[in-house]
Amino acid sequence: MSDKHFMRLLVALMVGCVWSATLRAANLVTNELKIANGEHWWGGAAGFGTKMPFDGSSAVRIDLTVDNYSQQCDSLLISDQGRIAYSPKPVSIEVTNGVIRFVADGEFAVRQEGSTLRDAFLYASRTWFPPSGRTPAELFFTAPQYNTWVELNYHQNQESILKYARDFLAQGCPPGVIMIDDTWQVAYGEWDFDLRRFPDPKAMCDELHRMGFKVMLWICPWVGMDTPAYRRVAFGSNPFDCRGYPTKGGFRMQKALPNFPAPNRWWNGYSALLDFTHPNARAWFKEQLDRLVRDYGIDGFKFDGGEFDHYTEDAFPLKRGISPAEESYAYAVHALDYPYCEYRNGWHLGGQPIIQRLIDKPHTWEAVRQLVPDMIAAGLLGYQFICPDMAGGGMWTAFLPGAKIDQEIFVRSVQVHALCGQMQFSASPWRILDEEHQDAVRQAVTLRQKFAPYILEVARACAKSGEPMVRNLEYAYPHQGYADVRDQFLLGNKLLVAPQLTTGGTRRVTIPPGRWKNDLGRVVEGPCVVVENVPLSRLAHYMALPKDE
């Protein structure tokens, strides 16, 4: 991570503003906010999208002091009546009996700004997470992404990765970003290709580039405690001189043995966790990433990990008193050094040019129905460039040979991806689908490529304005009864998308004011509600028509 990005963390912690109502105290402060009649709130954490908007009947608890629920979050709530609740630090939020209770440490504010959801969002955006003006690499918006996780999981290898890429091209998919996932490396922290499975990694990367792909590598903040990398970080230039105490630092340390790194439990066992408040960890990690770019032509990285609950109280960082959220941020901002980047644990990263992906979901209808409201929720927290998980779900066990695949779920999931900010494949459709369902996937990819110029146009505009790419109707058409519409979305202001989120061949679509032309050529005058026939291959969508057309 560059020093300028680390300074952003420090500045974020010191920012002060003039509030209409601000509470300051040395200890935790509890504040209550009564939900007004007919008022709706969004915010806290993207993973609660299906429970949003919060209203007088909601019962929700979000504790950002200890958990980010493996997704994008911030201590921000905004309402469709222009109200804002915010703290620069992680808070606990409880919604029950028509009251929102916040437990904040040090600062908390409630403010009225305008009278709509968009008014509240734009104030929050320019005040706390102003837009950078930059998009991530534009290929994210103009072509699908291809992640090797589901097909290869813990068996990444050169031959299979090249075949994976060629198979998608053979099926008529355009080259895009290819993400090589976990186990390409020698070990956690030993960030070099395992030559047993990658006999010539430079040749592999060169071949992928010749095919038109950009290449990203999976990366994480953990270091195996039996690796030379661990010793290099802890002991310095001579990793094999381990006499005495570690001399350099850079890991979260044990409380019982404060001179030694703490073994940290995560989903792949126990490892040392880099402490990015420490300059040695920042410098070492950045050196590893830049070496991969230099030696192999790697274009960027999929930054995994960073969940708040890995930064437990049984170990401590160099900078005492820093919260799990702030430690997660100190890791995540490394992504800002690379235009090809992906992350899914954002804290206070709204407005930044990072692709944010929703957490891996199971292969179920319920999971498909989460995609739209979770993307909307992420956007209203400032995470403009949101990717809706992997097509069909990111849980690799659902796609093992012999597993029961619901082909309709896969197709409808792909259609959600087709006209939002990003489309990401991992499970190969050509392995798990019959010809009818494969053809529906091809049609969704073709549709996306048709709209690629518009998708890129929206991304560029949002990078400057700070507004979300994926928007709910309430954001664009306030106070018209659209707050609870969570199964369709607008991409920008002109494209209305109504994916099929249940089994069956029809769905109701809420048409907002104006004249809209659907994908079959029919013009509809809104506001109204229409019922669309949506056979397997159809994604219902509408373009706004100019008033004089």
Side-chain angles (χ1 to χ4, degrees):
M1 172 176 54
S2 65
D3 288 341
K4 70 177 181 179
H5 292 143
F6 184 67
M7 286 302 297
R8 186 173 185 266
L9 168 63
L10 299 181
V11 170
L13 302 181
M14 296 185 293
V15 164
C17 298
V18 177
W19 311 110
S20 61
T22 301
L23 302 175
R24 289 184 173 84
N27 300 312
L28 296 179
V29 174
T30 300
N31 190 58
E32 292 191 354
L33 177 64
K34 184 174 176 55
I35 298 174
N37 184 39
E39 187 176 28
H40 304 85
W41 291 80
W42 288 260
F48 288 79
T50 55
K51 297 183 180 297
M52 298 178 200
F54 308 137
D55 58 21
S57 64
S58 298
V60 179
R61 187 170 187 272
I62 305 172
D63 190 351
L64 300 180
T65 65
V66 295
D67 202 351
N68 65 320
Y69 308 92
S70 298
Q71 294 212 242
Q72 302 75 30
C73 64
D74 214 330
S75 296
L76 170 71
L77 287 178
I78 55 177
S79 95
D80 58 0
Q81 294 187 13
R83 287 206 288 174
I84 306 165
Y86 177 78
S87 173
K89 294 187 177 183
V91 301
S92 174
I93 302 168
E94 184 177 3
V95 184
T96 184
N97 297 325
V99 174
I100 303 175
R101 294 179 179 83
F102 302 85
V103 180
D105 181 6
E107 289 187 30
F108 177 79
V110 176
R111 182 181 182 91
Q112 182 77 43
E113 190 65 33
S115 61
T116 69
L117 180 63
R118 185 171 184 264
D119 291 337
F121 174 84
L122 289 176
Y123 179 86
S125 172
R126 64 177 177 263
T127 305
W128 298 301
F129 41 90
S132 70
R134 297 181 293 126
T135 68
E138 292 188 348
L139 188 60
F140 282 114
F141 307 102
T142 59
Q145 303 149 40
Y146 308 96
N147 186 294
T148 63
W149 173 241
V150 168
E151 287 300 306
L152 302 180
N153 49 80
Y154 291 106
H155 306 285
Q156 306 290 317
N157 67 88
Q158 182 169 332
E159 180 181 1
S160 297
I161 288 167
L162 288 171
K163 182 180 185 303
Y164 181 77
R166 291 178 183 129
D167 285 349
F168 272 97
L169 297 184
Q171 294 294 334
C173 292
V177 176
I178 190 165
M179 303 176 184
I180 301 175
D181 221 284
D182 185 9
T183 67
W184 64 269
Q185 72 280 2
V186 174
Y188 298 115
E190 290 294 318
W191 300 118
D192 209 344
F193 283 93
D194 185 342
L195 296 180
R196 295 169 298 178
R197 288 175 288 128
F198 293 85
D200 194 341
K202 180 63 165 62
M204 178 192 71
C205 293
D206 289 346
E207 177 62 18
L208 289 169
H209 284 139
R210 276 193 294 270
M211 286 189 252
F213 292 93
K214 294 295 185 180
V215 183
M216 290 172 57
L217 294 177
W218 180 92
I219 208 85
C220 72
W222 294 285
V223 177
M225 301 182 78
D226 59 349
T227 62
Y230 169 79
R231 294 188 288 274
R232 287 189 187 95
V233 175
F235 291 91
S237 59
N238 184 355
F240 300 103
D241 181 7
C242 298
R243 296 167 295 181
Y245 293 142
T247 56
K248 293 197 70 176
F251 293 115
R252 286 174 57 84
M253 309 302 282
Q254 298 183 45
K255 282 191 173 181
L257 297 169
N259 290 310
F260 288 94
N264 188 85
R265 183 178 181 179
W266 61 298
W267 64 78
N268 280 328
Y270 286 86
S271 303
L273 180 58
L274 289 164
D275 168 19
F276 290 108
T277 70
H278 199 295
N280 183 44
R282 298 198 301 274
W284 177 83
F285 193 66
K286 183 71 163 60
E287 179 185 343
Q288 309 312 304
L289 305 188
D290 288 349
R291 174 179 50 78
L292 291 163
V293 172
R294 181 185 67 246
D295 291 355
Y296 300 106
I298 298 303
D299 299 290
F301 302 93
K302 171 184 173 177
F303 292 87
D304 207 354
E307 285 88 351
F308 292 7
D309 56 354
H310 290 131
Y311 299 96
T312 58
E313 293 183 356
D314 59 358
F316 60 86
L318 172 71
K319 187 175 179 63
R320 303 296 181 90
I322 190 169
S323 69
E326 292 153 356
E327 289 193 77
S328 177
Y329 177 94
Y331 163 56
V333 292
H334 285 88
L336 294 173
D337 290 335
Y338 308 94
Y340 290 91
C341 59
E342 182 192 89
Y343 194 55
R344 62 163 177 79
N345 280 307
W347 158 261
H348 208 63
L349 282 169
Q352 294 303 307
I354 301 174
I355 296 296
Q356 294 276 350
R357 181 175 60 83
L358 298 179
I359 190 174
D360 304 34
K361 290 179 170 57
H363 180 68
T364 65
W365 280 114
E366 181 183 6
V368 172
R369 286 190 286 274
Q370 286 180 276
L371 299 177
V372 173
D374 284 6
M375 284 193 292
I376 289 170
L380 291 174
L381 289 167
Y383 298 94
Q384 308 147 291
F385 310 117
I386 191 73
C387 177
D389 189 25
M390 303 168 186
M395 295 294 187
W396 62 278
T397 53
F399 299 99
L400 289 172
K404 184 178 180 180
I405 306 296
D406 187 323
Q407 298 188 57
E408 187 181 2
I409 286 178
F410 193 93
V411 169
R412 296 307 191 182
S413 175
V414 169
Q415 290 172 349
V416 174
H417 287 238
L419 294 180
C420 65
Q422 286 83 47
M423 168 184 267
Q424 184 173 131
F425 287 102
S426 192
S428 170
W430 334 118
R431 177 176 67 85
I432 61 176
L433 302 181
D434 62 27
E435 188 57 38
E436 178 190 8
H437 291 81
Q438 287 182 40
D439 189 58
V441 169
R442 292 188 193 97
Q443 291 183 54
V445 173
T446 299
L447 179 65
R448 180 176 182 80
Q449 294 313 109
K450 172 186 173 182
F451 277 91
Y454 175 76
I455 295 170
L456 181 58
E457 173 191 323
V458 173
R460 288 171 173 168
C462 291
K464 295 177 181 178
S465 70
E467 295 187 270
M469 293 184 67
V470 173
R471 305 167 189 178
N472 59 351
L473 291 182
E474 182 64 35
Y475 184 92
Y477 298 91
H479 307 313
Q480 298 189 46
Y482 297 146
D484 289 318
V485 178
R486 56 174 72 95
D487 62 349
Q488 58 186 73
F489 62 91
L490 288 158
L491 187 74
N493 287 325
K494 295 187 291 187
L495 179 59
L496 177 66
V497 186
Q500 179 71 346
L501 304 177
T502 63
T503 188
T506 62
R507 69 150 293 162
R508 290 166 58 88
V509 183
T510 300
I511 307 294
R515 298 177 72 242
W516 299 82
K517 186 176 184 179
N518 77 1
D519 52 296
L520 302 179
R522 183 164 65 96
V523 175
V524 180
E525 186 83 34
C528 65
V529 175
V530 299
V531 176
E532 291 280 13
N533 291 316
V534 282
L536 183 68
S537 60
R538 185 184 177 204
L539 168 58
H541 58 280
Y542 303 73
M543 285 298 294
L545 294 174
K547 292 182 179 180
D548 57 351
E549 197 174 307

